[in-house]
Amino acid sequence: DVKVTQSSRYLVKRTGEKVFLECVQDMDHENMFWYRQDPGLGLRLIYFSYDVKMKEKGDIPEGYSVSREKKERFSLILESASTNQTSMYLCASSPDDFQRNIQYFGAGTRLSVL
Amino acid sequence: EDKVVQSPLSLVVHEGDTVTLNCSYEVTNFRSLLWYKQEKKAPTFLFMLTSSGIEKKSGRLSSILDKKELFSILNITATQTGDSAVYLCAVEAYGNKLVFGAGTILRVKS
């Protein structure tokens, strides 16, 4: 079974703090993704990566950055957290083959910024 | 702009009922449509559809795609309380990117 692990289920931070959300997958997948999920808006893509050290902006990258130093790990960074970044953050991965569009998700990190 | 719209937004049914969830889309370069189920944890993959008119089935769940009318439906027969979840529809429109709908919240009452 594919396992995508996010480091924290719940996180509370203060405005202006630097926040790191970590995601690790154990299936040697090339592709990794970060989404945020808000009620009524569904999942929106923040950043994704096709390979180590590669990153691409998604639909809502403002206020976020990412790091992929190793194939299995994809980190989302909030440089200076703001209250409008309070959300559920989901990480996903997919292989780079004929099933590349089937993404496997982690359990999510619910971030509250106070 | 690529768009995926799911309806209804929420639904309450009784055990044993049959439900139909809808997903319509407007995307460029359509490649596939996917359904996920999300309980209080990670979304889990249900179906991937690429061809019109071919039903995918898994137990009490089934889904079909209409590429001419640009929609898909997800049917659940003989619903159980364990079917209570958010059902997400996503369309692969470009590269590996998925465009998600807002989801349908299904609650099955015993």
Side-chain angles (χ1 to χ4, degrees):
Chain A
D1 272 358
V2 176
K3 190 156 186 186
V4 179
T5 303
Q6 295 185 229
S7 53
S8 307
R9 287 303 306 274
Y10 301 95
L11 212 51
V12 180
K13 296 292 181 181
R14 296 203 175 276
T15 302
E17 280 193 79
K18 189 168 186 175
V19 182
F20 292 87
L21 302 183
E22 306 288 346
C23 175
V24 177
Q25 49 94 4
D26 66 357
M27 281 302 292
D28 202 36
H29 284 171
E30 287 76 12
N31 307 312
M32 296 189 74
F33 308 83
W34 274 107
Y35 295 89
R36 64 178 282 175
Q37 183 177 27
D38 299 289
L41 297 178
L43 276 70
R44 292 180 291 166
L45 182 64
I46 304 171
Y47 266 97
F48 59 104
S49 169
Y50 291 139
D51 202 351
V52 176
K53 296 195 185 295
M54 292 186 67
K55 60 185 179 184
E56 297 281 345
K57 291 180 180 179
D59 299 318
I60 52 164
E62 298 78 19
Y64 303 94
S65 62
V66 290
S67 172
R68 191 155 180 214
E69 296 296 319
K70 293 185 177 181
K71 190 176 186 179
E72 67 271 18
R73 186 180 297 270
F74 193 35
S75 303
L76 180 70
I77 303 155
L78 286 67
E79 295 290 342
S80 177
S82 63
T83 55
N84 63 11
Q85 292 178 311
T86 292
S87 187
M88 170 69 89
Y89 290 88
L90 290 165
C91 174
S93 71
S94 71
D96 195 27
D97 59 22
F98 69 100
Q99 290 199 328
R100 67 185 184 282
N101 53 342
I102 300 177
Q103 295 182 13
Y104 297 88
F105 286 85
T109 296
R110 188 167 291 282
L111 172 68
S112 296
V113 182
L114 307 178
Chain B
E1 183 184 337
D2 295 334
K3 189 165 62 172
V4 176
V5 177
Q6 293 186 245
S7 64
L9 290 181
S10 67
L11 192 56
V12 181
V13 300
H14 288 94
E15 272 193 314
D17 288 350
T18 293
V19 299
T20 298
L21 310 183
N22 303 293
C23 176
S24 64
Y25 60 91
E26 293 178 27
V27 299
T28 52
N29 300 317
F30 173 89
R31 294 189 183 184
S32 63
L33 185 145
L34 296 90
W35 285 96
Y36 285 85
K37 177 182 181 182
Q38 184 180 23
E39 298 167 270
K40 291 188 186 297
K41 48 187 178 179
T44 53
F45 170 75
L46 294 175
F47 297 112
M48 181 177 73
L49 303 142
T50 56
S51 301
S52 277
I54 299 175
E55 185 183 54
K56 291 281 183 96
K57 199 169 169 64
S58 176
R60 296 175 295 102
L61 276 67
S62 64
S63 183
I64 198 160
L65 173 67
D66 186 328
K67 289 168 74 173
K68 184 179 176 187
E69 300 297 329
L70 309 182
F71 77 91
S72 173
I73 59 172
L74 175 69
N75 278 322
I76 309 174
T77 59
T79 51
Q80 302 171 357
T81 55
D83 295 325
S84 296
V86 178
Y87 289 85
L88 300 169
C89 173
V91 173
E92 184 195 10
Y94 174 72
N96 292 356
K97 290 170 61 176
L98 296 180
V99 179
F100 282 84
T104 294
I105 302 169
L106 174 65
R107 182 177 162 217
V108 181
K109 295 169 71 172
S110 57

